[in-house]
Amino acid sequence: METISELMLMTGLDTWVAAEAWVWPLCEILHFTGMAILIGTVGAVDLRILGVGKGIPISALERFIPLGVAAFIVNLATGFIFIAGNPVGGPMEYLTNLSLQLKLLVVLIAGINLLVFYVTGIHRAVDATPADGAAPLNAKVVAVVSLVAWFSVILFGRLIMYNDTLLYALGL
């Protein structure tokens, strides 16, 4: 963790964030908006796979996925700024935060889930689902994992500022 922290400090983001009062709030706005777009796009596809909104072709909703990918990139960039540019306790304050660690773990799970969706060919079966049809069971499992993962990302993201409460609740 210390090596990662030192590498992040070499970026100079901590100095920039501390010197410019607008950087942190702008990143908060972008991060929140990015998550809303990500949940909106990926969530819509996941819900349709689960059978909500039958009559809408899943492929029509998948057109919005590039917007979700762009939002994820925005969140990745702003999240990096939050950690590397933390003007109060530096990167180590975040890197040792259990809530952040759990958030990053769940982002990894969501990424693996997405990889499973495409590598195993589940996406082809989903694309072949007619507008009024039901997606295959394995696609529904992927959709549930996706929804749980992304809402867990939001939960653990909110708990970052309340890490002590989480640790207390877990008895740590």
Side-chain angles (χ1 to χ4, degrees):
M1 290 288 185
E2 288 181 27
T3 303
I4 294 170
S5 178
E6 289 173 16
L7 289 171
M8 288 181 149
L9 286 171
M10 291 172 53
T11 65
L13 285 171
D14 58 327
T15 306
W16 181 56
V17 170
E20 304 294 341
W22 57 269
V23 174
W24 195 276
L26 178 63
C27 286
E28 287 280 2
I29 291 166
L30 292 172
H31 202 76
F32 176 82
T33 304
M35 184 51 74
I37 292 169
L38 179 61
I39 281 290
T41 57
V42 173
V45 173
D46 288 339
L47 287 173
R48 175 54 193 95
I49 289 171
L50 292 172
V52 176
K54 279 192 176 179
I56 302 171
I58 297 171
S59 59
L61 294 172
E62 285 181 333
R63 287 187 236 156
F64 294 105
I65 293 297
L67 191 59
V69 171
F72 177 77
I73 292 168
V74 167
N75 279 19
L76 195 62
T78 55
F80 185 82
I81 291 170
F82 290 144
I83 297 169
N86 183 12
V88 179
M92 279 302 283
E93 184 175 333
Y94 277 123
L95 292 173
T96 57
N97 184 304
L98 178 62
S99 298
L100 175 72
Q101 293 169 354
L102 291 171
K103 177 181 178 174
L104 295 177
L105 175 65
V106 178
V107 168
L108 178 65
I109 290 168
I112 292 168
N113 189 54
L114 181 67
L115 193 63
V116 165
F117 183 72
Y118 284 102
V119 169
T120 61
I122 296 171
H123 73 287
R124 284 191 292 277
V126 167
D127 288 342
T129 303
D132 60 345
L137 179 61
N138 56 1
K140 290 180 180 187
V141 170
V142 167
V144 167
V145 170
S146 175
L147 287 170
V148 169
W150 288 115
F151 279 101
S152 295
V153 167
I154 293 170
L155 171 69
F156 290 123
R158 290 306 310 138
L159 287 175
I160 289 171
M161 292 293 110
Y162 306 100
N163 193 55
D164 292 341
T165 304
L166 175 64
L167 293 173
Y168 178 77
L170 295 174
L172 300 173

